[in-house]
Amino acid sequence: MTGLSTFDTTEKTPENRRSDRLVIPLLLVSAFVVILNETIMSVALPVLNRDLGIAVSTGQWLTSAFMLVMAVVIPVTGFLLQRFHLRQVFVAAMTLFSIGTLICFLAPGFTVLLLGRIVQAGGTAIMMPLLITTVLNMVPADRRGRTMGTISIVMAVAPAVGPTISGFILQALDWRWMFGLVLPIALLGLALGIAFIRNVTEPRPAAIDVFSVVVSALAFGGLVYGFSALGGEGGHEAPDPAVSPWAAIALGAVSLVVFVWRQIQLQRDDRALLDLRVFGSTQFSLSIVLVGVSFMALFGTIILLPLYIQNILGYDTLVTGLVLLPGGLVMGLIAPLVGRLFDAYGPRPLVTPGAGLVGLVLWGMTLFGTETPIGFVVAAHIVLSLGLGFMFTPLLTGALGSLPQRLYSHGSAVVGTVQQVAGAAGTATFIAVMTSVAAGRLADGATEVAADAGGIHIAFVLGACVATAGFVATFFVRRSAEPAAEVTEHTATEGEIPDAPAGAADKGLADAPVADTAGPEAGEERPVG
């Protein structure tokens, strides 16, 4: 048998069908809870620095180490999802996350808290690729837009509302309750998963290439660490580590080249840790670039807006969280609608206007000053969230839907890796530009507030330029045909040829060109629809 885990074609009993209906909702709730923790620390860091008696540069590792572990683990998820059953992977992910959350809740000091965050990140890294791969396997192509719209809530809204939730908790409770309130939800999700989730894929024997794991850790870990350390956290200077940020970025870049070379060699025998044949699809490659740009904008503004609201406008952390809340809610509310529109019209009518809104808002944010009304900031963030909401679902659904089934888990792992690297790069770029410009203006005699305002202005100018380039790129996005009826060695041997996507004929996909995918089957003529 070649390729990844194959879809389980066993005839379903009524009990199995009821279990299947619970799988995706359970995965969605679990993924929302674990992804929320990625940004829940941003507002809490000043409180933790004070309560634990640690320096700002030390406290930032509670966020940086989380992102670092995510970047290292996510590339391995492609292997995990082909080697083990869905149920096994889910239980492992939620167990890791629950143990990490318990460690954080009971942590007596910084070292144990950092350990808990690292364990949490290990479980978090597995959940998102697991969710996406399961949806691609279980949901018919003509309904994926709606389901991926819901997934967009997890991917975009959870990080956006993290600061708001932590702001509310810190206003009334001790910082430990950021983890104490999450723990019962995580344990409930784990228990329900054990009870109801059944296996929907058939794993295949696969050996892991240790060299690929090491090189991927150096590559993606080096890039995320370097970008995070370069930007620092909350506008403060980066720590003084043994390895400088630029050295880490250089190590990551060189290791990435070696990693790519190694995967190309292993693909000949179907042994790649992360199958790069996903980039053989033009639409996947273009969509991933745009996803990277979108996450740079999202995480860049998530880190800049709190600094602007607190340091320039003078509001507290609770107000900061409330300002960011409406945008996160808007993104969540429109996600199902965007999914239905994608199913009906495809990606370009959604992605291009969405990218246009993102660019316009970032240009508008360049007008922020020391006297900007807080209502204007709220409105700008809402419109920015609206634009990003119109981009995430079409880009992700179109990109992953253009891949054959055997590459689903690898495509999901690539998406997760790009999110982490792009988020770290966006944060680092925005903060590095802001701090360098502010330092120059301080040297010229400006006040601290005026210097910070000038730095934030230039950072938003840079973000607007990047968003404008992304807007132009959206005109090349098109609707990819579902690569249906993929005849693998498995189906050819056993006569199991998957059905065409439901509704394909209605949508005219039967006459559409086959999405260009790489691999041994790419050049074969296959019926579509």
Side-chain angles (χ1 to χ4, degrees):
M1 184 189 303
T2 60
L4 292 178
S5 321
T6 57
F7 189 70
D8 184 4
T9 56
T10 305
E11 184 177 352
K12 293 182 173 68
T13 65
E15 290 76 13
N16 285 342
R17 283 193 289 270
R18 283 194 293 273
S19 294
D20 285 354
R21 285 195 293 269
L22 290 172
V23 168
I24 292 175
L26 271 173
L27 291 177
L28 281 168
V29 173
S30 300
F32 185 89
V33 171
V34 301
I35 297 293
L36 186 72
N37 276 267
E38 190 167 355
T39 56
I40 201 170
M41 301 296 295
S42 59
V43 174
L45 285 176
V47 176
L48 288 165
N49 294 334
R50 182 181 66 250
D51 288 358
L52 300 177
I54 55 176
V56 171
S57 59
T58 302
Q60 80 164 35
W61 277 102
L62 295 170
T63 296
S64 298
F66 193 96
M67 295 180 67
L68 184 63
V69 174
M70 290 271 289
V72 171
V73 174
I74 285 176
V76 185
T77 59
F79 163 80
L80 295 176
L81 291 172
Q82 66 172 312
R83 180 64 181 83
F84 299 101
H85 283 292
L86 163 68
R87 192 167 182 270
Q88 293 173 316
V89 178
F90 174 82
V91 170
M94 287 306 294
T95 299
L96 275 176
F97 179 78
S98 300
I99 291 173
T101 304
L102 178 62
I103 292 173
C104 291
F105 179 57
L106 300 177
F110 171 77
T111 303
V112 177
L113 180 59
L114 180 62
L115 173 63
R117 289 286 287 172
I118 290 172
V119 177
Q120 272 189 328
T124 303
I126 300 172
M127 279 302 302
M128 208 63 221
L130 173 64
L131 171 59
I132 294 175
T133 302
T134 304
V135 166
L136 292 173
N137 272 317
M138 295 185 67
V139 179
D142 65 325
R143 291 195 289 112
R144 281 186 191 155
R146 276 165 278 187
T147 307
M148 292 295 286
T150 309
I151 290 179
S152 294
I153 299 175
V154 174
M155 298 183 67
V157 178
V161 302
T164 305
I165 293 174
S166 62
F168 276 118
I169 293 174
L170 292 171
Q171 196 76 9
L173 300 169
D174 181 78
W175 61 264
R176 286 180 174 81
W177 287 102
M178 290 192 303
F179 307 103
L181 295 177
V182 167
L183 183 58
I185 303 174
L187 292 174
L188 178 62
L190 175 60
L192 291 174
I194 292 173
F196 293 108
I197 290 181
R198 71 179 196 90
N199 299 313
V200 296
T201 57
E202 286 296 328
R204 69 176 180 88
I208 192 166
D209 181 58
V210 177
F211 180 75
S212 294
V213 175
V214 173
V215 176
S216 72
L218 292 174
F220 301 113
L223 290 173
V224 170
Y225 167 81
F227 285 132
S228 299
L230 183 67
E233 184 71 38
H236 297 281
E237 292 295 322
D240 185 19
V243 179
S244 72
W246 288 112
I249 292 172
L251 174 64
V254 172
S255 300
L256 182 60
V257 172
V258 176
F259 177 75
V260 170
W261 170 82
R262 179 67 171 176
Q263 301 319 294
I264 292 174
Q265 299 299 311
L266 294 175
Q267 279 170 187
R268 298 171 182 172
D269 302 321
D270 252 350
R271 295 190 299 115
L273 178 69
L274 191 63
D275 199 321
L276 301 181
R277 283 177 288 194
V278 294
F279 291 104
S281 166
T282 303
Q283 290 307 301
F284 180 87
S285 301
L286 177 59
S287 297
I288 286 300
V289 170
L290 291 172
V291 166
V293 170
S294 301
F295 269 83
M296 287 182 70
L298 175 63
F299 278 82
T301 52
I302 282 176
I303 197 70
L304 272 190
L305 280 180
L307 293 175
Y308 171 74
I309 295 168
Q310 294 177 51
N311 297 349
I312 309 302
L313 299 183
Y315 292 98
D316 61 19
T317 56
L318 181 59
V319 172
T320 301
L322 291 173
V323 168
L324 299 178
L325 181 60
L329 294 177
V330 165
M331 200 181 301
L333 290 173
I334 68 167
L337 170 64
V338 172
R340 286 193 292 270
L341 292 174
F342 172 84
D343 289 335
Y345 303 108
R348 190 187 296 171
L350 301 169
V351 173
T352 301
L357 279 178
V358 171
L360 286 174
V361 171
L362 286 173
W363 282 114
M365 286 181 172
T366 64
L367 304 177
F368 284 0
T370 56
E371 302 296 330
T372 301
I374 194 67
F376 182 65
V377 178
V378 174
H381 186 248
I382 289 174
V383 179
L384 176 70
S385 301
L386 187 68
L388 290 170
F390 272 92
M391 294 181 69
F392 286 138
T393 297
L395 288 174
L396 292 171
T397 310
L400 295 167
S402 71
L403 301 176
Q405 184 182 358
R406 61 188 172 83
L407 294 178
Y408 283 168
S409 61
H410 287 296
S412 302
V414 168
V415 168
T417 303
V418 168
Q419 287 175 31
Q420 294 307 308
V421 174
T427 300
T429 302
F430 277 53
I431 293 298
V433 169
M434 186 202 80
T435 53
S436 61
V437 171
R441 299 199 175 187
L442 279 174
D444 292 337
T447 64
E448 185 173 349
V449 171
D452 285 345
I456 289 174
H457 167 76
I458 299 300
F460 278 132
V461 169
L462 175 63
C465 291
V466 173
T468 302
F471 170 71
V472 174
T474 63
F475 287 96
F476 297 95
V477 174
R478 63 179 175 83
R479 184 168 200 158
S480 297
E482 175 75 6
E486 182 188 11
V487 182
T488 64
E489 181 180 324
H490 175 60
T491 56
T493 301
E494 302 182 24
E496 297 171 6
I497 300 178
D499 295 332
D506 296 338
K507 296 180 182 299
L509 293 181
D511 298 323
V514 178
D516 42 339
T517 55
E521 297 84 5
E524 299 175 8
E525 290 188 4
R526 293 174 297 193
V528 179

